[in-house]
Amino acid sequence: MNEILTLEGLSAPLLALRLLALDFPHLPAPVVDMSSIYPDRLALSFHESQGAFTAFEAWRAALGIAPSAVEFHVQCDHLTGVLTARGKYGGAGADIELTAFTQVPATAGVA
């Protein structure tokens, strides 16, 4: 039998979001996502201008996620670049997932 997750079950990402809002109010606002499927995860995503990952990098640095932890790939449309990174923040116990999307210049995939 499946139990219904209560709002209390999302306390880790909710607390992390509250702490992030208090500690980093000057950083760019992300798209925020929490899910009962992954109740310990707080996902922050950014849709950035062509070739720039400015907001992603500001958040990565603020969260203390090492540059070596960042992964890059291009989606199958060959037009969208994606950066991803994960880390923990403070004592909230939430897994913070950063994702950024940007347009890849049309000539980048041409060989």
Side-chain angles (χ1 to χ4, degrees), residues 1-20:
M1 179 195 303
N2 291 339
E3 290 186 34
I4 295 175
L5 184 71
T6 64
L7 194 55
E8 182 180 15
L10 294 175
S11 63
L14 287 168
L15 177 57
L17 183 60
R18 180 178 180 201
L19 293 173
L20 291 173

Side-chain angles (χ1 to χ4, degrees), residues 79-110:
L79 301 174
T80 307
V82 182
L83 285 182
T84 57
R86 286 182 186 234
K88 298 276 186 187
Y89 180 68
D95 179 28
I96 307 291
E97 179 182 76
L98 297 178
T99 306
F101 303 92
T102 192
Q103 193 174 22
V104 174
T107 57
V110 178

